Amino acid sequence: MAPKSNQSKTPWQDSLADACRNLQISAPVFQVVSDRRGGRTAWSSRVVVYGSTVSARFWYDGKNLNNAKEDAAEVALGWLNGSTSNPSSPSTSRSGW
């Protein structure tokens, strides 16, 4: 078993990049988006895959920005594999905050 320090902190992003390579399509391009909410800023992510923009499901605190990218990558991988539809925007839920 590999030491914890060698485990990827981006498994969904890595899986999405691998899927794009296997399908011989352009690498995923991530975008970070923000929304000011009162005295705080909520963050989310979206990723462009095969010409389509796929958004993360949730909004996150800035310290959890990698979680937002992982969320977008998970949704995009499901969409690319045909198991989910392409959501238009993150939910208004504050999960991850």
Side-chain angles (χ1 to χ4, degrees):
M1 178 177 226
K4 229 178 179 183
S5 61
N6 288 343
Q7 291 180 346
S8 174
K9 295 182 193 273
T10 59
W12 287 108
Q13 293 172 68
D14 296 344
S15 294
L16 179 60
D18 290 344
C20 289
R21 262 192 306 278
N22 291 340
L23 293 170
Q24 299 180 344
I25 59 176
S26 298
V29 177
F30 287 88
Q31 301 169 336
V32 175
V33 293
S34 65
D35 182 25
R36 186 82 174 149
R37 297 184 178 186
R40 300 178 67 179
T41 302
W43 297 88
S44 193
S45 181
R46 55 187 174 210
V47 59
V48 178
V49 179
Y50 200 55
S52 293
T53 302
V54 181
S55 297
R57 294 167 289 200
F58 305 108
W59 292 92
Y60 297 84
D61 188 81
K63 66 183 177 187
N64 299 317
L65 194 51
N66 188 61
N67 292 356
K69 291 171 82 174
E70 282 291 284
D71 187 16
E74 180 180 359
V75 174
L77 193 58
W79 172 79
L80 196 57
N81 290 329
S83 60
T84 60
S85 61
N86 186 1
S88 59
S89 66
S91 90
T92 54
S93 167
R94 292 191 177 182
S95 296
W97 274 63

